[in-house]
Amino acid sequence: MNVKSSSTNLEPLSFNQFKKEVLQDYKIAIVSRECSILGRREVLTGKAKFGIFGDGKEVPQLAMAKAFKKGDFRSGYYRDQTFMMAIGELTPQQFFAGLYAHANIKADPMSGGRQMGGHFATHSLDENGHFKNLTEQYNSSGDISPTAGQMPRMLGLAYASKLFRKLPGIKNPKFSNNGNEISWGTIGNASTSEGVFFETINAAGVLQVPMIISVWDDAYGISVPAKYQTTKENISEILKGFQRENKAKGYEIFVVKGWDYPNLIDVYNKASKIAREEHVPILIHVKDLTQPQGHSTSGSHERYKNKERLTWEKQNDCVVKMRDWIIEFNLKDEHNNTLTFIDSEEELIKIEKDAKKEVSLAKRNAWNAFLNPIKEEKKLLINILENLSLKSSNKAFILKLKNDLSSIHEPSRKNILATARKVIVYIRNEKLVEKTQLQNWVTNYIKTKQPNYSSHLYSQTDKKVSLSEEILPTYHKNAELVDARIIIKDNFDTLFTKHNNVFIFGEDAGNIGDVNQGLVGLQEKYGKHRISDTGIREATIIGQGIGMALRGLRPIAEIQYLDYLLYGLQILSDDLATLHYRTAGKQKAPLIVRTRGHRLEGIWHSGSPMGAIVHLLRGMNILVPRNMTKAAGFYTTLLECDEPALIVENLNGYRLKEKLPNNFGEFKTPIGVVETIKEGLDITVLSYGSTLKIVEDIVNDLAQVEIDIEIIDAQSLLPFDNNMDVVKSIKKTNRLIIIDEDVPGGASAYLLNEILEKQNAYHYLDSKPVTLTAKDHRAAYGTDGDYFSKPNAEDIFETIYNIMHEVNPTKYKKLY
């Protein structure tokens, strides 16, 4: 039998080497199982909040680890602890540090305490936030909890290998070795019921990418059995139509028992060879697995499994079966000598005892490492409170709070800080040096501890968007006016020449050059891999981009219309927007998502859900250019930065005329900077996108009634107005109206909050700030439907006029 050594990939082993590997694997399985058992106890005793563990899945993960090579990527779910231990990327102490939410990336390298245990990631970035050499390490993309949410990213990780192999021009030894890397996915059997699972399966089959999906099948989804989850109760059976025949495009599908250690190794080695060499997607259905402690610490599986099932699970536990196999194994060598793994069961008992001691010590060390610094912080505060109580007239209250804190033997930082802040209230009227000392302590404590929980939402490198400076477009003296789509196309043309690692893909993006011809002719020039069509599959278009960006490429994922973004919003929100934050700055995916929206007539393509998008996509840049020159400048800016972004191009702007620049690929639109496009004295009008043009169209109408408006283009919603230029305008006009075509309380309410609360503009307002938005419903169809559904020129004119009527009713007579 050929088995991969932990130090040399897939090299044949002697029997003694194989024996050593088997016993080492068994120890890893026992260590992992003991982590699950003790982890559950830690939750039930209150030391940890929640636990979801990989018990029952240990043996197939050992086999998967043997076929996993450096440079490969895992995109899994929250039960893969044994795999991570087997590849050397998770220790028992780190396992418990994650369980305790130790807010230190060195203690919990998976997320620095930001995610609950079971969510695994490796570090793709160095201390400066730049990519490490990913081909020299084992890679795990940062996990997320939403079921099947890992699937779209898995596709992109595999697709990157295809591109690295097909396009020698993008070769980069930091990211790929000729596309030989596999994307390894794991998913529970019940989660294969999710739509994104089937979407990913189909997309991978179409694209023919090196992706191996392991389905851990324990016959349940929490408490719901497979008969309610999957047709025929068998995912590999219903996917047989994807099986390739006669080398035609499709899948290789393997079915194997989850407790069958030697067959698992054979299957994973075969799958690895096929996927790596032939770039074929593979499904491995791992059946007959168990879940010894139930789904999670939130309930017992005895509630929903009958006695027969529970008995079966004990008998077919993969670790128990592996133990039996080790004991029973014997093989005749060429000299007819009997070869065995152990001489007696005592050898296994010793391994088991040693593993339990190791895990127990790791748990204790992890807890002490987590708790001791907090105890020291508690001790320091108690000392401050004792000194304060000696001089305060509220001594009794302070001592009560101090004693309550002292009685907590295993305090949290919440306990400590909450106590200090409550004391502040009692001494608010006192003038004491000790009061100042406590105030300074609280301020410093928040300043030093808050970043442990809030940092790295956005990049902190020298490529973060806030460091990018504006470069204006330049024009020839007699620059012609052209359809704006020409500007976006010519800029993309330049960018594709300038950056050989840029790709764009989406529905109709390739052959016809997108529905608005912003890419027309570029596929013919740069090839079908650089500019490509996709199926109608928004979630995996996003995932395709995330995986590519994780591997050092610069993808632009095109979603045809803004309302179609909702299909991919879960992936954007739960995966892309949180990636840099949830890995505490150790992974990044600077994906650019391109779409178009606003103003097209009809319910489905006219929606402008910017408020929802802004709130769900914190961690991304949300950009809303008013024209194609501004949009083109955003693409240039972003390709020099390392943060993800969504650009919403103005749908009715492609055939409007704009002046043709002569510095394509150079001019850059700044991010987080508003632009004042008309100065005025009477009222500040803030808008963005297509609504802004309507505002511009009524400037003369307002001037005829002696209203002089100042128009500001928001340009980007996240971030918004870093220079606080809007409040500077309001200081001059003393009035504000925000106009957009989102629903009431949507993006306009967000902008109002930014201006009134963050910029403190309320100090300078002489009139109530107003938001003018679309109606609560989607826009009705047709010209009249649009007119009665969204802000129109008359709405905007009259709303501004009515504000001025309130200011000066004599000058501005009531209209109605």
Side-chain angles (χ1 to χ4, degrees):
M1 177 183 296
N2 288 342
V3 181
K4 170 192 154 184
S5 166
S6 58
S7 58
T8 58
N9 291 322
L10 298 177
E11 293 181 359
L13 304 178
S14 68
F15 179 79
N16 284 336
Q17 290 172 320
F18 179 41
K19 170 182 174 179
K20 184 178 178 181
E21 289 266 336
V22 169
L23 295 180
Q24 177 62 25
D25 280 353
Y26 181 68
K27 180 182 178 182
I28 293 171
I30 295 298
V31 165
S32 179
R33 176 63 61 89
E34 191 66 15
C35 283
S36 296
I37 292 169
L38 292 189
R40 182 179 178 85
R41 290 178 189 171
E42 293 299 275
V43 173
L44 297 180
T45 58
K47 285 185 177 180
K49 286 288 186 181
F50 182 78
I52 191 160
F53 307 111
D55 49 305
K57 317 296 187 294
E58 293 91 349
V59 174
Q61 291 180 29
L62 293 169
M64 175 176 153
K66 291 185 179 300
F68 193 87
K69 287 187 177 183
K70 288 183 177 179
D72 288 355
F73 264 87
R74 169 189 166 274
S75 182
Y77 90 135
Y78 39 71
R79 298 198 188 277
D80 291 345
Q81 69 200 45
T82 310
F83 169 82
M84 294 298 290
M85 290 176 179
I87 64 170
E89 293 296 333
L90 178 69
T91 67
Q93 185 165 333
Q94 291 167 345
F95 171 90
F96 286 103
L99 193 65
Y100 302 139
H102 194 153
N104 183 314
I105 194 66
K106 292 182 179 179
D108 171 26
M110 303 302 132
S111 73
R114 296 181 180 189
Q115 293 215 94
M116 66 181 182
H119 294 72
F120 305 115
T122 52
H123 295 185
S124 298
L125 308 179
D126 62 22
E127 295 304 313
N128 297 315
H130 301 148
F131 276 111
K132 297 160 67 176
N133 189 323
L134 303 183
T135 65
E136 295 180 348
Q137 64 179 43
Y138 298 115
N139 300 291
S140 174
S141 57
D143 291 342
I144 59 176
S145 285
T147 55
Q150 71 275 23
M151 295 292 296
R153 176 190 348 123
M154 187 193 314
L155 173 74
L157 291 166
Y159 185 63
S161 288
K162 179 175 181 175
L163 295 174
F164 280 120
R165 182 169 291 182
K166 293 284 187 180
L167 302 174
I170 64 169
K171 184 177 181 180
N172 189 321
K174 286 178 65 174
F175 300 128
S176 180
N177 176 22
N178 193 38
N180 291 333
E181 301 78 23
I182 295 173
S183 172
W184 297 80
T186 64
I187 188 170
N189 58 294
S191 294
T192 63
S193 303
E194 293 280 10
V196 287
F197 171 82
F198 286 96
E199 185 176 317
T200 304
I201 288 286
N202 183 60
V206 169
L207 292 173
Q208 289 292 280
V209 291
M211 185 173 88
I212 299 177
I213 306 163
S214 296
V215 178
W216 308 141
D217 189 348
D218 58 25
Y220 283 85
I222 309 182
S223 67
V224 180
K227 66 181 180 180
Y228 297 117
Q229 304 279 359
T230 310
T231 304
K232 299 184 179 181
E233 302 182 42
N234 189 322
I235 190 63
S236 57
E237 180 68 21
I238 64 173
L239 291 178
K240 278 185 176 179
F242 285 87
Q243 174 69 52
R244 64 176 183 164
E245 297 177 357
N246 300 320
K247 300 296 182 180
K249 287 184 177 181
Y251 272 72
E252 285 294 340
I253 299 176
F254 295 93
V255 180
V256 62
K257 303 290 187 182
W259 45 260
D260 193 343
Y261 177 78
N263 279 334
L264 282 162
I265 293 172
D266 285 343
V267 165
Y268 274 94
N269 283 345
K270 288 175 183 175
S272 173
K273 181 177 174 60
I274 294 169
R276 209 177 296 281
E277 294 178 0
E278 300 180 44
H279 273 204
V280 173
I282 294 172
L283 177 82
I284 302 178
H285 184 188
V286 184
K287 300 176 69 175
D288 288 0
L289 289 171
T290 65
Q291 208 147 268
Q293 298 186 116
H295 174 264
S296 69
T297 54
S298 62
S300 169
H301 63 156
E302 286 83 3
R303 292 162 52 198
Y304 54 85
K305 291 176 183 175
N306 59 35
K307 289 182 179 180
E308 290 75 18
R309 175 68 191 188
L310 292 169
T311 299
W312 182 92
E313 290 201 1
K314 287 181 180 180
Q315 294 170 344
N316 290 275
D317 184 305
C318 64
V319 176
V320 171
K321 298 281 273 188
M322 182 180 182
R323 190 182 197 276
D324 292 342
W325 175 77
I326 292 172
I327 292 172
E328 295 167 4
F329 182 90
N330 66 79
L331 180 70
K332 296 290 185 180
D333 67 10
E334 64 272 21
H335 304 297
N336 206 35
N337 296 318
T338 300
L339 304 176
T340 60
F341 291 133
I342 56 173
D343 295 326
S344 74
E345 190 178 356
E346 291 301 316
E347 292 181 51
L348 294 184
I349 293 172
K350 184 179 186 306
I351 290 174
E352 291 156 2
K353 287 181 177 179
D354 290 346
K356 291 182 178 183
K357 287 178 182 178
E358 178 185 336
V359 173
S360 181
L361 178 61
K363 176 180 72 72
R364 186 161 60 250
N365 289 342
W367 180 246
N368 289 336
F370 168 73
L371 189 61
N372 287 343
I374 301 176
K375 283 185 173 180
E376 289 300 313
E377 295 159 15
K378 167 189 161 182
K379 183 178 178 181
L380 179 60
L381 177 61
I382 286 174
N383 185 56
I384 293 172
L385 296 183
E386 285 176 344
N387 293 334
L388 177 62
S389 68
L390 296 175
K391 296 184 179 181
S392 173
S393 59
N394 289 286
K395 178 178 180 179
F397 297 105
I398 295 171
L399 287 178
K400 171 67 168 58
L401 288 168
K402 187 215 74 167
N403 291 336
D404 287 346
L405 180 60
S406 297
S407 67
I408 303 174
H409 299 297
E410 296 177 341
S412 66
R413 290 195 166 98
K414 172 187 174 183
N415 299 140
I416 296 169
L417 186 55
T419 298
R421 295 168 81 173
K422 288 175 183 176
V423 172
I424 292 287
V425 178
Y426 283 119
I427 61 173
R428 65 190 183 279
N429 296 321
E430 298 183 351
K431 295 181 179 179
L432 300 170
V433 173
E434 290 77 9
K435 170 187 174 181
T436 302
Q437 184 184 8
L438 179 60
Q439 289 173 324
N440 290 341
W441 183 92
V442 169
T443 300
N444 185 63
Y445 195 78
I446 294 173
K447 182 179 179 180
T448 57
K449 303 306 176 188
Q450 186 68 54
N452 292 337
Y453 308 94
S454 302
S455 69
H456 293 95
L457 184 60
Y458 292 92
S459 173
Q460 298 181 7
T461 73
D462 55 0
K463 291 186 177 182
K464 59 184 178 181
V465 299
S466 60
L467 296 180
S468 181
E469 296 183 357
E470 181 177 22
I471 297 178
L472 293 170
T474 57
Y475 302 90
H476 291 303
K477 183 176 181 181
N478 298 315
E480 63 178 315
L481 289 173
V482 298
D483 285 352
R485 65 181 179 82
I486 301 297
I487 293 173
I488 203 84
K489 177 188 73 72
D490 287 356
N491 197 66
F492 275 134
D493 191 359
T494 303
L495 292 175
F496 270 82
T497 299
K498 186 177 181 181
H499 305 282
N500 71 349
N501 64 344
V502 173
F503 299 80
I504 191 164
F505 47 90
E507 299 158 15
D508 300 307
N511 184 44
I512 68 169
D514 89 40
V515 289
N516 296 99
Q517 296 193 299
L519 298 168
V520 68
L522 297 187
Q523 186 185 74
E524 184 177 357
K525 182 174 182 179
Y526 294 100
K528 292 183 179 181
H529 291 300
R530 296 283 307 276
I531 296 99
S532 55
D533 287 312
T534 69
I536 299 177
R537 50 175 184 83
E538 285 78 11
T540 48
I541 289 173
I542 299 298
Q544 189 171 323
I546 295 171
M548 292 168 65
L550 277 165
R551 296 193 59 190
L553 300 175
R554 293 309 310 264
I556 301 172
E558 179 168 317
I559 302 298
Q560 196 166 80
Y561 295 114
L562 180 59
D563 53 328
Y564 292 169
L565 193 74
L566 299 181
Y567 284 98
L569 197 55
Q570 184 264 319
I571 305 302
L572 283 169
S573 180
D574 290 330
D575 199 349
L576 181 60
T578 67
L579 175 67
H580 198 247
Y581 168 77
R582 74 176 186 269
T583 61
K586 295 304 180 182
Q587 291 186 7
K588 64 182 176 183
L591 168 65
I592 301 170
V593 180
R594 180 193 186 207
T595 190
R596 51 195 64 81
H598 318 306
R599 222 69 210 182
L600 184 66
E601 296 174 353
I603 288 178
W604 303 116
H605 294 330
S606 62
S608 183
M610 297 309 302
I613 289 168
V614 163
H615 295 303
L616 289 170
L617 301 188
R618 301 297 172 101
M620 293 182 64
N621 296 277
I622 311 300
L623 312 178
V624 284
R626 70 177 181 271
N627 59 38
M628 296 307 143
T629 303
K630 289 292 182 180
F634 276 140
Y635 290 109
T636 305
T637 299
L638 287 167
L639 287 173
E640 295 181 3
C641 299
D642 65 352
E643 297 179 19
L646 168 68
I647 298 180
V648 184
E649 295 172 13
N650 194 336
L651 184 55
N652 59 4
Y654 293 102
R655 297 192 182 278
L656 297 179
K657 300 297 183 182
E658 294 183 37
K659 195 158 60 168
L660 188 69
N662 61 15
N663 62 336
F664 287 116
E666 297 177 10
F667 64 87
K668 298 193 295 184
T669 308
I671 294 174
V673 178
V674 303
E675 181 180 2
T676 301
I677 57 178
K678 178 196 173 299
E679 294 190 357
L681 297 173
D682 292 326
I683 185 169
T684 298
V685 182
L686 174 68
S687 189
Y688 62 87
S690 60
T691 317
L692 193 70
K693 186 177 185 306
I694 305 175
V695 173
E696 291 180 283
D697 289 344
I698 65 166
V699 167
N700 291 335
D701 295 334
L702 288 166
Q704 288 177 7
V705 294
E706 299 182 59
I707 297 176
D708 183 19
I709 64 173
E710 181 146 304
I711 305 175
I712 298 179
D713 180 6
Q715 296 200 110
S716 66
L717 300 182
L718 281 178
F720 172 72
D721 193 10
N722 290 336
N723 299 328
M724 295 195 173
D725 289 327
V726 174
V727 71
K728 295 170 189 173
S729 172
I730 293 172
K731 285 180 181 179
K732 176 175 62 174
T733 66
N734 307 118
R735 278 166 280 280
L736 170 69
I737 182 171
I738 301 171
I739 302 169
D740 79 343
E741 51 185 305
D742 197 0
V743 296
S748 59
Y750 156 76
L751 291 170
L752 193 62
N753 172 266
E754 290 281 313
I755 295 164
L756 296 187
E757 191 166 329
K758 290 189 178 180
Q759 299 189 10
N760 292 319
Y762 66 91
H763 287 301
Y764 312 104
L765 288 171
D766 292 336
S767 299
K768 181 182 74 171
V770 173
T771 63
L772 178 59
T773 69
K775 298 297 187 286
D776 288 328
H777 53 78
R778 301 278 184 98
Y781 180 61
T783 299
D784 291 343
D786 178 79
Y787 186 85
F788 284 97
S789 301
K790 292 192 170 186
N792 54 59
E794 288 70 35
D795 290 335
I796 297 171
F797 177 95
E798 291 177 6
T799 303
I800 293 173
Y801 184 92
N802 289 337
I803 293 171
M804 299 308 298
H805 163 73
E806 184 182 74
V807 174
N808 189 341
T810 301
K811 182 176 181 180
Y812 303 104
K813 303 294 185 182
K814 193 172 183 179
L815 294 176
Y816 299 102

